[in-house]
């Protein structure tokens, strides 16, 4: 297959379809690593070819620790994607990372466990020691920052994403530890997706949508799920504007 795709998007919680894709076709792909989360939708934004995959499935049936990250990334690469944007719902830790903020993190700390984290995890595969000192592709991040400015969308440049196992939310003590470690955001799906993209030499960046304050970081005594979804809806509405500006579509 391997036709050119200008951009691939992996949608997180709240982003299950990408609006405005024309002449869209669905691709059900079987990979050497099993099935992706859902069919991949490939369509056009203007004269650009865009692929979209719902990370949790279009009905949100797959929890973060059960996502087949290897199949997802491999399938996008197989379809011809060379630039991938992961859209991730996160909690805010740093003071300027409150609900409804859109952030473009530049670092990540992996707290996950028991996930299949590499394409090397199969018999006979080539062992690759990737340079992961900068987990997100700098050029793609710069392009996203410029696109957000053109689209009039305020974004926070940089920050450290702490990836936790899920699906439960974190304790106050865990968030306090993550703050001491230097995390500014907390989410459940940032890894191993970023590392797998690097193994396949894909350009990869994250658009982080802050759904709520992390435990102990806001004024609320408890995290309200209806409030999370309202915040996500507002932040998610900014994503197509950034992507359209990025593509010049």
């Amino acid at each position: 297959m391997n036709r050119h795709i200008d951009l691939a998007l992996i949608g997180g919680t709240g982003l299950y379809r990408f609006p405005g894709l024309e002449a869209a076709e669905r691709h059900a792909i079987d990979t050497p690593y099993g099935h992706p989360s859902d069919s991949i939708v490939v369509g056009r934004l203007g004269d650009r070819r865009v692929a979209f995959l719902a990370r949790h499935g279009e009905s949100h049936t797959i929890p973060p620790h059960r996502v087949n990250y290897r199949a997802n990334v491999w399938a996008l690469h197989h379809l011809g994607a060379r630039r991938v944007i992961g859209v991730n719902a996160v909690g805010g830790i740093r003071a300027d990372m409150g609900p409804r903020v859109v952030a473009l993190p530049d670092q990540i700390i992996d707290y996950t466990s028991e996930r299949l984290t590499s394409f090397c995890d199969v018999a006979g595969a080539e062992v690759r020691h990737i340079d992961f000192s900068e987990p997100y592709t700098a050029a793609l991040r710069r392009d996203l920052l410029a696109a957000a400015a053109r689209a009039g969308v305020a974004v926070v440049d940089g920050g450290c994403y702490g990836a936790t196992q899920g699906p439960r939310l974190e304790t106050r003590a865990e968030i306090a530890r993550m703050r001491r470690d230097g995390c500014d955001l907390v989410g459940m799906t940032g890894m191993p997706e970023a590392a797998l993209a690097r193994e396949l030499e894909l350009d990869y960046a994250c658009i982080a949508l802050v759904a709520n304050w992390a435990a102990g970081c806001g004024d609320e005594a408890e995290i309200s799920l209806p409030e999370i979804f309202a915040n996500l809806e507002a932040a998610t509405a900014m994503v197509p504007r950034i992507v359209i500006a990025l593509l010049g579509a």
Side-chain angles (χ1 to χ4, degrees), residues 156-196:
V156 176
D157 178 9
C160 182
Y161 178 128
T164 59
Q165 180 71 355
R168 67 168 178 83
L169 298 176
E170 301 75 29
T171 68
R172 288 173 180 259
E174 287 169 333
I175 294 299
R177 172 202 173 192
M178 294 176 72
R179 187 197 297 272
R180 292 192 298 270
D181 286 349
C183 295
D184 305 302
L185 301 161
V186 56
M188 302 173 188
T189 54
M191 286 292 284
E193 191 172 280
L196 293 166

Side-chain angles (χ1 to χ4, degrees), residues 16-121:
Y16 308 113
R17 295 170 183 83
F18 196 82
L21 282 184
E22 299 177 348
E25 299 177 349
R26 300 181 68 90
H27 297 263
I29 297 176
D30 189 18
T31 83
Y33 310 95
H35 295 291
S37 297
D38 213 317
S39 296
I40 297 171
V41 178
V42 179
R44 305 197 75 82
L45 281 177
D47 61 351
R48 304 289 186 165
R49 198 159 178 260
V50 176
F52 178 81
L53 172 62
R55 186 185 289 112
H56 301 282
E58 291 183 2
S59 300
H60 198 103
T61 55
I62 308 171
H65 64 302
R66 297 287 189 185
V67 171
N68 191 338
Y69 295 95
R70 295 193 302 179
N72 287 352
V73 174
W74 190 95
L76 291 172
H77 179 268
H78 176 70
L79 281 173
R82 294 299 175 265
R83 294 196 299 171
V84 178
I85 295 173
V87 182
N88 301 80
V90 298
I93 298 175
R94 202 170 79 192
D96 60 342
M97 300 284 197
R100 305 194 179 196
V101 162
V102 179
L104 303 179
D106 58 359
Q107 278 296 326
I108 195 163
I109 298 177
D110 188 3
Y111 299 94
T112 66
S113 60
E114 299 180 2
R115 298 186 182 188
L116 295 172
T117 61
S118 172
F119 293 109
C120 301
D121 291 337

Side-chain angles (χ1 to χ4, degrees), residues 108-229:
I108 195 163
I109 298 177
D110 188 3
Y111 299 94
T112 66
S113 60
E114 299 180 2
R115 298 186 182 188
L116 295 172
T117 61
S118 172
F119 293 109
C120 301
D121 291 337
V122 292
E126 176 189 1
V127 177
R128 300 193 65 194
H129 300 284
I130 56 170
D131 178 2
F132 205 54
S133 54
E134 301 294 334
Y136 302 110
T137 304
L140 183 53
R141 282 193 68 258
R142 287 194 299 269
D143 289 346
L144 282 171
L145 285 167
R150 290 195 299 273
V153 176
V155 297
V156 176
D157 178 9
C160 182
Y161 178 128
T164 59
Q165 180 71 355
R168 67 168 178 83
L169 298 176
E170 301 75 29
T171 68
R172 288 173 180 259
E174 287 169 333
I175 294 299
R177 172 202 173 192
M178 294 176 72
R179 187 197 297 272
R180 292 192 298 270
D181 286 349
C183 295
D184 305 302
L185 301 161
V186 56
M188 302 173 188
T189 54
M191 286 292 284
E193 191 172 280
L196 293 166
R198 181 62 53 83
E199 285 192 7
L200 292 183
E201 300 180 352
L202 301 174
D203 289 340
Y204 179 89
C206 166
I207 298 178
L209 310 177
V210 182
N212 56 279
W213 286 112
C217 294
D219 297 330
E220 300 84 0
E222 295 184 1
I223 296 174
S224 161
L225 287 180
E227 195 170 332
I228 284 176
F229 290 121

